[in-house]
């Protein structure tokens, strides 16, 4: 199977570890991810905040390149996924002139939903060497992957299940909680730290109260917000995993603590406690 | 107690909506404009406040989400463009998703933010507005947004540094930046997209310039 891959800017910087785990997981699953030729930024929140036209045009450049490759797209970042889908819908409505040839006909998958399809779950389960038994976690989806449903296509946007199914497939104990799709504050912390912190702190508190020892996410911004706030290690650490890091762990014979060196809340003690590393 | 919340609620200056305003024909005009540009179902709002209750940051806003919709109906344009609300809003889409009348609250707030960005009204939340602008500038220079370059560009903007000093946040921000560098999360060198001039051209055109 072959798909075009839209990494997004974070995967070259803040979320380089996410990129590495995705690479390992898709190799193991025999799925060829072909990076979109000369991809460019989707515009994220800034584009739609200041220029609605740019929020359609910027993702369109990547849709156009993927169409030339003729491959459906998979996006690991929730915000990129959301912006690509939004642009696709606006292209189909033909309300703006796009400087690149583009029809908006390709499928755009968010990576969690792609890997949570029943056939994929089967493939994942088949390759699990050592399940992550005993790992108690909550799945956190954030906003952009699920809302607004008319763009994301999620029907279970109040209680999404894709990460839950994947975490379950790798043997973790998934705990239900009510904050799956509550906002983490996105980039607001850069301008108004106290607003950002109030949102992330609450999420971590609720995760702890639910009895989770870790959080699993798919969005680079969610990961860094939930992880960064733990940099001083003042409270019980709650490691924040990318879901592909968990899959990679149980696919691998030799597991390297270095995979987690970019994390602030160090997952290694927790993983060794359950004999996963 | 968070001082920002106090400021919004108890400041002595006139609160938005406090003085009597005559609507005349501008109410209709602004309402029709926003309705047309966002397809937002503005007239269907019956002020149930569900949007505000679903909003994770409504307590940091001076005009609450349900009030935004009412203000649009009344044509109170300047109050909206001067509000903190349009910059504090996270576009998390809780409001739109839970509105019983399919009022597109988040899209309307976003559209107001667009209008404010192209107006002469100074943004109430300067840092948040400048951050968005900086992001687009870095994007149009290199096609991709490297976090290190973004933060450098943001802090080079006038007043950002001094505002951080004034709010007492500078030390915390610097320590965070250092910690991110140490973890290898901020990368001083980065890749670019090859055909950046395409993007720059689109960006310039989107601002109404002829190229
Ligand atoms: S939820 Fe909808 S109907 Fe209720 S106040 Fe908000 S916009 Fe109006
Ligand atoms: S989109 Fe904005 S106004 Fe709506 S709930 Fe989210 S933060 Fe509040």
């Amino acid at each position: 199977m072959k798909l075009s891959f839209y990494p997004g800017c974070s995967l070259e910087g803040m979320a380089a570890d996410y990129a590495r785990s995705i690479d390992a997981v898709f190799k193991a699953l025999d799925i060829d991810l072909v990076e979109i030729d000369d991809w460019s930024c989707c515009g994220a929140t800034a584009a739609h905040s200041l220029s609605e036209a740019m929020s359609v045009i910027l993702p369109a450049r990547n849709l156009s390149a993927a169409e030339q490759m003729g491959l459906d797209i998979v996006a690991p970042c929730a915000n990129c996924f959301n912006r690509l889908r939004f642009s696709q819908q606006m292209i189909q409505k033909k309300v703006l002139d796009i400087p690149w040839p583009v029809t908006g006909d390709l499928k755009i998958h968010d990576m969690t939903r792609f890997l949570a399809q029943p056939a994929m779950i089967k493939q994942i389960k088949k390759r699990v060497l050592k399940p992550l038994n005993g790992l108690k976690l909550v799945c956190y989806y954030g906003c952009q992957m699920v809302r607004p449903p008319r763009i994301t296509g999620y029907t279970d946007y109040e209680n999404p299940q894709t990460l839950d199914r994947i975490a379950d497939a790798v043997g973790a104990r998934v705990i239900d909680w009510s904050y799956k799709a509550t906002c983490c504050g996105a980039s607001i912390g850069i301008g108004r730290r106290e607003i950002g912190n109030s949102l992330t702190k609450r999420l971590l508190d609720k995760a702890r109260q639910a009895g989770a020892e870790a959080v699993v996410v798919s969005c680079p911004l969610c990961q860094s917000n939930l992880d960064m706030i733990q940099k001083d290690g003042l409270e019980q650490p709650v490691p924040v995993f990318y879901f592909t890091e968990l899959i990679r762990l149980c696919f691998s014979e030799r597991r390297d603590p270095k995979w987690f060196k970019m994390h602030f809340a160090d997952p290694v003690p927790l993983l060794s406690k359950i004999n996963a590393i | 107690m968070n001082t920002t919340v106090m400021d919004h609620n108890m400041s002595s200056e006139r609160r938005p909506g406090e003085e009597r305003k005559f609507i005349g024909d501008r109410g209709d005009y602004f309402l029709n404009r926003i309705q047309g540009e966002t397809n937002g179902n503005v007239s269907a709002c019956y002020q149930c406040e569900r949007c505000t209750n679903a909003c994770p940051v409504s307590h940091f806003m001076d005009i609450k989400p349900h009030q935004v919709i009412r203000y649009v109906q009344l044509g109170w344009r300047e109050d909206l463009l001067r509000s903190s609300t349009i910059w504090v809003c996270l576009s998390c889409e809780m409001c739109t998703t839970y509105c019983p009348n399919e009022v597109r609250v988040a899209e309307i707030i976003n559209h107001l933010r667009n209008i404010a960005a192209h107006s002469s009204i100074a943004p109430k939340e300067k840092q948040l507005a400048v951050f968005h602008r900086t992001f687009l500038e870095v994007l149009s220079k290199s096609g991709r947004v490297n976090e290190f370059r973004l933060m450098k560009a943001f802090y080079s903007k006038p007043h950002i540094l001094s505002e951080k000093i004034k709010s007492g946040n500078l030390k915390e921000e610097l320590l965070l930046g250092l910690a991110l560098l140490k973890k290898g999360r901020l990368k001083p060198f980065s890749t670019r997209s090859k055909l950046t001039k395409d993007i720059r051209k689109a960006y310039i055109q989107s601002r109404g310039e002829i190229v």
Side-chain angles (χ1 to χ4, degrees):
Chain A
M1 196 191 306
K2 228 179 179 181
L3 287 161
S4 66
F5 180 55
Y6 180 75
C9 305
S10 308
L11 269 77
E12 295 195 328
M14 293 283 273
D17 46 356
Y18 190 18
R20 285 191 287 269
S21 65
I22 290 170
D23 199 48
V25 167
F26 278 80
K27 274 206 182 98
L29 288 169
D30 272 326
I31 301 169
D32 208 359
L33 290 185
V34 192
E35 196 168 293
I36 293 181
D37 196 26
D38 195 35
W39 62 270
S40 50
C41 176
C42 70
T45 315
H48 74 76
S49 289
L50 301 187
S51 161
E52 282 160 342
M54 286 307 277
S55 74
V56 180
I57 292 171
L58 288 169
R61 185 172 178 276
N62 302 295
L63 296 181
S64 164
E67 281 173 16
Q68 255 140 65
M69 296 159 67
L71 297 171
D72 287 343
I73 302 173
V74 61
C77 164
N79 201 355
C80 299
F81 160 73
N82 189 303
R83 296 334 296 164
L84 290 171
R85 278 262 184 137
F86 169 76
S87 170
Q88 179 183 43
Q89 287 190 3
M90 297 302 276
I91 290 166
Q92 287 164 347
K93 286 187 185 144
K94 298 198 173 26
V95 284
L96 274 171
D97 295 313
I98 311 289
W100 302 283
V102 62
T103 58
D105 289 341
L106 289 181
K107 271 213 187 80
I108 303 166
H109 300 282
D110 108 61
M111 189 172 272
T112 71
R113 193 148 32 138
F114 178 78
L115 289 178
Q117 302 172 80
M120 283 294 152
I121 293 282
K122 224 194 232 160
Q123 293 295 321
I124 292 174
K125 280 189 175 155
K126 230 166 65 187
R127 286 170 176 79
V128 170
L129 293 178
K130 198 170 159 210
L132 299 172
N133 291 340
L135 185 61
K136 286 189 281 183
L137 49 78
V138 286
C139 298
Y140 175 62
Y141 296 77
C143 313
Q144 306 289 326
M145 193 158 94
V146 292
R147 278 191 308 270
R150 69 168 191 290
I151 289 175
T152 64
Y154 269 73
T155 48
D156 54 0
Y157 53 85
E158 291 195 299
N159 187 7
Q161 294 296 328
T162 55
L163 288 172
D164 291 58
R165 285 208 285 275
I166 294 166
D168 178 69
V170 298
R173 197 169 126 223
V174 183
I175 298 173
D176 211 8
W177 68 323
S178 312
Y179 292 81
K180 279 182 166 178
T182 304
C183 188
C184 73
S187 59
I188 200 164
I190 295 166
R192 287 287 299 274
R193 188 61 63 196
E194 74 283 19
I195 301 183
N197 285 0
S198 72
L199 298 176
T200 24
K201 273 207 186 102
R202 185 170 66 143
L203 286 172
L204 286 176
D205 284 346
K206 296 296 174 185
R208 288 189 190 102
Q209 283 164 19
E213 294 172 316
V215 180
V216 59
V217 301
S218 74
C219 170
L221 199 50
C222 299
Q223 202 281 344
S224 42
N225 278 339
L226 290 171
D227 195 23
M228 260 165 13
I229 196 175
Q230 304 187 58
K231 78 173 172 19
D232 301 325
L234 300 176
E235 280 171 277
Q236 173 66 26
V238 182
V240 187
F241 292 102
Y242 291 111
F243 74 111
T244 44
E245 290 183 313
L246 295 185
I247 308 178
R248 183 189 195 185
L249 264 177
C250 38
F251 278 7
S252 314
E253 202 94 60
R254 290 228 308 271
R255 306 162 171 206
D256 192 342
K258 279 211 233 48
W259 293 345
F260 303 101
K261 66 176 193 305
M262 286 171 77
H263 287 246
F264 284 105
D266 186 5
V268 176
L270 175 63
L271 291 174
S272 31
K273 193 181 89 186
I274 59 159
N275 293 320
I277 207 159
Chain B
M1 182 71 199
N2 189 315
T3 51
T4 331
V5 180
M6 298 280 284
D7 284 350
H8 286 320
N9 292 341
M10 306 175 72
S11 78
S12 57
E13 55 181 279
R14 179 184 68 79
R15 285 195 303 191
E18 235 170 35
E19 87 196 5
R20 178 125 190 239
K21 282 200 221 38
F22 295 97
I23 303 169
D25 55 4
R26 68 195 298 248
D28 255 14
Y29 173 78
F30 193 61
L31 167 65
N32 290 337
R33 176 182 170 193
I34 298 294
Q35 174 59 35
E37 287 168 3
T38 64
N39 196 17
N41 243 351
V42 186
S43 306
C45 172
Y46 53 30
Q47 292 292 298
C48 68
E49 301 191 22
R50 195 160 176 210
C51 48
T52 297
N53 289 325
C55 176
V57 286
S58 58
H59 51 298
F60 293 103
M61 294 172 166
D62 46 8
I63 303 177
K64 311 298 177 199
H66 72 282
Q67 293 173 320
V68 169
I69 305 304
R70 188 73 187 122
Y71 280 32
V72 171
Q73 292 171 342
L74 295 171
W76 289 359
R77 177 179 159 280
E78 297 83 350
D79 291 311
L80 288 168
L81 301 190
R82 267 193 236 114
S83 69
S84 66
T85 305
I86 56 171
W87 300 106
V88 167
C89 166
L90 301 155
S91 297
C92 77
E93 294 276 348
M94 284 295 277
C95 47
T96 299
T97 306
Y98 291 101
C99 171
N101 294 318
E102 298 182 55
V103 178
R104 294 190 173 179
V105 189
E107 288 74 2
I108 291 163
I109 294 178
N110 187 65
H111 194 63
L112 293 166
R113 186 156 54 214
N114 267 252
I115 297 177
H118 295 92
S119 77
S120 57
I121 291 177
K124 181 134 177 208
E125 294 286 343
K126 190 155 182 225
Q127 295 197 36
L128 298 176
V130 170
F131 176 69
H132 290 317
R133 179 58 73 208
T134 315
F135 190 102
L136 283 187
E137 282 168 12
V138 172
L139 199 173
S140 63
K141 269 191 207 131
S142 47
R144 297 180 189 170
V145 177
N146 164 278
E147 292 104 350
F148 185 78
R149 218 180 300 147
L150 174 62
M151 291 323 292
K152 215 173 93 189
F154 179 60
Y155 276 92
S156 319
K157 292 280 174 195
H159 310 304
I160 295 299
L161 210 58
S162 56
E163 287 214 7
K164 290 277 185 214
I165 295 171
K166 220 166 54 197
S167 63
N169 285 339
L170 186 66
K171 193 172 152 212
E172 196 198 336
E173 297 297 319
L174 287 179
L175 287 175
L176 181 60
L178 264 177
L180 287 168
L181 269 171
K182 257 201 239 147
K183 282 275 170 201
R185 283 186 163 221
L186 282 178
K187 298 199 175 3
F189 304 102
S190 62
T191 60
R192 287 160 188 258
S193 151
K194 276 173 252 132
L195 287 176
T196 312
K197 74 174 193 319
D198 281 12
I199 295 169
R200 205 150 34 226
K201 189 172 158 204
Y203 182 50
I204 294 169
Q205 279 174 332
S206 78
R207 296 191 301 186
E209 289 173 45
I210 314 285
V211 265

